[in-house]
Amino acid sequence: MKKTFLILAAVVALSSCEKKSAPQSAQVEAAEQTAQAEQITESEQTAENTVPDTTADTVSGNYAYSGSDDIDSVAWYDKNSGGRTHEVMTKAPNSLGLYDMSGNVSEWCWDWYKGRYYEESPTQNPRGADSGDCRVARGGSFFDRPIFCNSIFRRAATDTGFGFDFGFRVVRNATKGTTVADDFVFVQGGSFVMGSEEFLEADGKMPDYYFPAHTVSVDSFYMCVHEVTQEEYEQRYENTSEFKGKNLPVETVSWYGAVFYCNARSLLEGLTPCYYVIDDSDSHRRLDIYSWHDVIFGEGGKNAEIHCDWSANGYRLPTEAEWEYAARGGNGRTPPAL
């Protein structure tokens, strides 16, 4: 079998991810402030989207992996996967009811990758570096050793790259009046300690890609309990996954493919897409999804950037802060070193 993995451990990507930029417009920032003012609380969520019960011994913030210190109970990784992906939701969930946050496929996040970003990260809703050549992926995969499946571990991969250990899951903003599908859970916003002061393994190097531990806050959001499946993906795009199966996570998807899916699903369900492009011509047009391919991949689109309207009600990728907060079960205590 030909292996085309693009597994770029963050420790080898520190010097190659710092070029592009994607500033927000004044209108988006104003709309975002309005959306933040309308954040719902846990008590205001609808009955069909209740938070799963939690107990003291299932709080994933204490664990190295999402939901347990026993990686075999919660993750498909190199020692138990048989060298392939597995159907979603076949391992135990974490305390929020989220499955496969560790292992199975690495999950794309919104953020540009920067090695020492935690030293300059804002404390409220951090969304990654302002520029870069690579995007963040989290959670590890069926191909990875346990260290890569740790809830704090960050990795970097080019946004046009793809491999059959890369997939994604989607989130939506939690604002008043939002209703979501049954396979989404409400994640109450709050503060947590992101990253760690501990070494994941004694490699003698400063872990600058997840160091230092720092306190950040995220707003409430809804997250799908499973990675996007091939059945879901095929409703919008051709399925090019290596391992075929309707309940397997979709893989061999680039970061661009993930954000295109988010917009396509939003439009299909009558929601406002989160992602848009400002082209780099003199007109600086805001372009919808149908114009993206030529702008991003055509000769005239070399400097075009994808932006996120954080106030939109459609589907989007989680930020890596949202991802880590949810993977830890929402309480964010620093997991132990391996």
Side-chain angles (χ1 to χ4, degrees), residues 38 71 131 144 163 173 199 257 286 295 300 311-312 315:
E38 296 177 348
I71 189 171
S131 61
D144 288 318
N173 292 338
F199 290 91
R286 176 168 171 157
V295 171
S311 67
Y315 295 93

Side-chain angles (χ1 to χ4, degrees), residues 120-317:
E120 60 191 55
S121 170
T123 58
Q124 183 69 35
N125 292 321
R127 291 165 181 159
D130 292 333
S131 61
D133 287 334
C134 300
R135 297 284 181 170
V136 173
R138 288 298 206 109
S141 75
F142 72 91
F143 179 76
D144 288 318
R145 294 185 291 120
I147 181 177
F148 298 105
C149 300
N150 192 286
S151 296
I152 68 172
F153 198 89
R154 309 171 68 215
R155 71 197 311 170
T158 59
D159 46 19
T160 56
F162 54 86
F164 48 84
D165 62 334
F166 275 77
F168 65 103
R169 76 177 66 218
V170 295
V171 301
R172 289 184 62 195
N173 292 338
T175 54
K176 292 180 179 179
T178 299
T179 58
V180 296
D182 292 339
D183 57 354
F184 279 70
V185 295
F186 178 77
V187 183
Q188 174 67 49
S191 298
F192 75 112
V193 178
M194 188 173 182
S196 178
E197 301 288 350
E198 303 287 341
F199 290 91
L200 291 184
E201 59 183 16
D203 57 8
K205 298 177 182 179
M206 178 66 71
D208 53 1
Y209 44 94
Y210 59 82
F211 177 90
H214 59 296
T215 300
V216 300
S217 298
V218 296
D219 293 334
S220 300
F221 57 96
Y222 289 103
M223 176 174 272
C224 189
V225 301
H226 57 79
E227 295 153 337
V228 172
T229 66
Q230 293 179 32
E231 183 177 37
E232 291 173 322
Y233 195 81
E234 286 174 347
Q235 295 176 25
R236 287 90 187 172
Y237 292 108
E238 179 184 0
N239 178 18
T240 58
S241 298
E242 177 71 18
F243 308 106
K244 293 295 194 292
K246 67 177 185 178
N247 290 323
L248 293 177
V250 68
E251 24 83 3
T252 320
V253 178
S254 70
W255 182 89
Y256 280 112
V259 298
F260 290 171
Y261 169 88
C262 289
N263 267 23
R265 181 170 176 177
S266 298
L267 290 168
L268 186 65
E269 297 182 17
L271 303 173
T272 302
C274 293
Y275 300 117
Y276 64 97
V277 167
I278 301 294
D279 73 5
D280 58 351
S281 68
D282 292 337
S283 61
H284 295 291
R285 299 169 298 164
R286 176 168 171 157
L287 303 174
D288 63 26
I289 190 172
Y290 303 109
S291 305
W292 281 16
H293 188 276
D294 291 341
V295 171
I296 294 297
F297 300 109
E299 184 65 26
K302 293 180 178 179
N303 298 315
E305 292 293 340
I306 290 183
H307 301 250
C308 183
D309 181 348
W310 297 99
S311 67
N313 66 357
Y315 295 93
R316 61 177 176 83
L317 299 178

Side-chain angles (χ1 to χ4, degrees), residues 42 45 49-54 95-96 185-188:
E42 184 172 349
Q45 65 184 305
N49 299 307
T50 55
V51 177
D53 291 335
T54 61
S95 60
L96 287 174
V185 295
F186 178 77
V187 183
Q188 174 67 49

